[in-house]
Amino acid sequence: MRGAGLAGGFDRADRDAHAAGGQVTAGVPAAVAALTRLRPRLAAAGLGLGLAHVGEPGLCPAGPAEASAAATMTPGRRREFLAGREAARRALRAVGVDCGEIPREGRLPVFAPGRSASISHSAGIAVAVARAPGEHAPLGCDLELRPLPCDAARLVLAPDEEPLLGTPATAGGGPWSLTGLFSAKEAAWKALHLVPGRAGTASMRTLRDLWAEPYADALHIGPRLDPHVGPRIDPHIAPSSRPRIASRAGQSYGVRVRVRVRVLPVGAGVFSYAVGWADADGRSTPEPTARRS
């Protein structure tokens, strides 16, 4: 399969990227290896994983629509765009589906019927996840290999969510970081926008219009009925009690539909992906998936 040796041939890819003027961040090989190790876990969740890198030799448009789009881009953006398309094709092949060129509508990739993938880029790496045709589950992923500065919290979290920072993600896990919460909201945003007409998605204009709460080893994230009003969590309340209180408050303030998102460490960064829809009790609820990501 094309790209199967991505991690093993990374040193050459780095040299090619430097020669082409691409941006390569220190620590990227470790991130690729970490992502590759996630394949069995994602496969168990019904997801195919595709990886590509801006420095790979042979990246090229798969058809006239991709060529036309790439021709309008700067060299660096063109390599990122082509790597993302190749990652999506590899993710689809991982679930047994071939895919030709992937045109775009605005900034969104548009897939042929029966094909769908979600694409993310960070630090020269493109990653994509795909589900087999007929699988009715949300589809969204996000890769963040550069930590967010602390002052970005106001762009990601509403005041009621700020107590999540530093709260243990699981009983034995590390605390939720701003980068992890940002990545989880990005993955949820993609998954929610995949299905047109979902209640509440019209209010989604920024990440602060999404409300996140911990649930077991994941986050449940959905749009607020009123993006300017949300539950308030007393920072003096014990962290172990916050998810229960936040859940009640979130229902009171009308979170209509939620997606379950898992956040996994990738080197110094994180990778987030949608696991499924969730109702107010945290149970999975199947929903149809659209063709875009």
Side-chain angles (χ1 to χ4, degrees):
M1 184 172 72
R2 290 168 60 190
L6 174 61
F10 212 85
D11 289 342
R12 185 178 69 178
D14 276 352
R15 291 195 298 271
D16 290 341
H18 282 297
Q23 297 297 314
V24 177
T25 300
V28 161
V32 170
L35 284 165
T36 301
R37 287 193 293 271
L38 296 179
R39 288 187 191 277
R41 182 167 187 168
L42 293 170
L47 292 166
L49 176 70
L51 299 172
H53 182 256
V54 295
E56 282 187 55
L59 286 179
C60 60
E66 287 187 12
S68 176
T72 67
M73 300 173 181
T74 63
R77 173 66 185 117
R78 184 181 306 123
R79 299 290 296 179
E80 183 181 73
F81 170 79
L82 294 174
R85 286 331 195 243
E86 185 58 34
R89 282 186 279 273
R90 291 171 180 172
L92 285 162
R93 282 198 291 272
V95 294
V97 181
D98 285 326
C99 182
E101 72 168 342
I102 304 169
R104 64 176 184 168
E105 183 177 301
R107 294 181 60 86
L108 297 176
V110 179
F111 295 87
R115 291 153 178 78
S116 186
S118 179
I119 305 169
S120 184
H121 312 84
S122 184
I125 296 174
V127 60
V129 294
R131 293 191 187 276
E135 292 290 329
H136 302 305
L139 192 59
C141 73
D142 183 74
L143 177 66
E144 301 294 335
L145 298 178
R146 300 184 180 96
L148 268 67
C150 293
D151 59 4
R154 61 185 178 82
L155 304 176
V156 180
L157 304 175
D160 57 290
E161 296 172 301
E162 290 178 2
L164 287 176
L165 291 172
T167 299
T170 61
W176 291 109
S177 67
L178 179 59
T179 305
L181 292 169
F182 170 82
S183 181
K185 284 195 171 188
E186 283 283 321
W189 183 286
K190 294 176 183 179
L192 290 165
H193 272 290
L194 274 170
V195 182
R198 292 297 306 180
T201 57
S203 68
M204 291 165 47
R205 294 178 175 82
T206 74
L207 293 182
R208 286 166 56 93
D209 299 335
L210 292 175
W211 185 68
E213 67 165 320
Y215 190 93
D217 61 346
L219 288 164
H220 286 178
I221 304 174
R224 302 169 185 264
L225 277 178
D226 183 345
H228 303 294
V229 179
R232 295 292 180 262
I233 301 175
D234 187 337
H236 301 293
I237 294 174
S240 60
S241 300
R242 288 175 189 164
R244 174 172 50 83
I245 294 169
S247 179
R248 292 202 305 266
Q251 293 173 40
S252 299
Y253 281 94
V255 176
R256 295 186 179 182
V257 59
R258 300 188 297 176
V259 65
R260 186 182 180 108
V261 178
R262 188 158 287 131
V263 182
L264 302 176
V266 174
V270 296
F271 174 68
S272 301
Y273 64 99
V275 180
W277 300 104
D279 65 14
D281 296 321
R283 295 171 298 190
S284 295
T285 56
E287 293 285 349
T289 303
R291 294 188 292 113
R292 297 178 184 168
S293 66

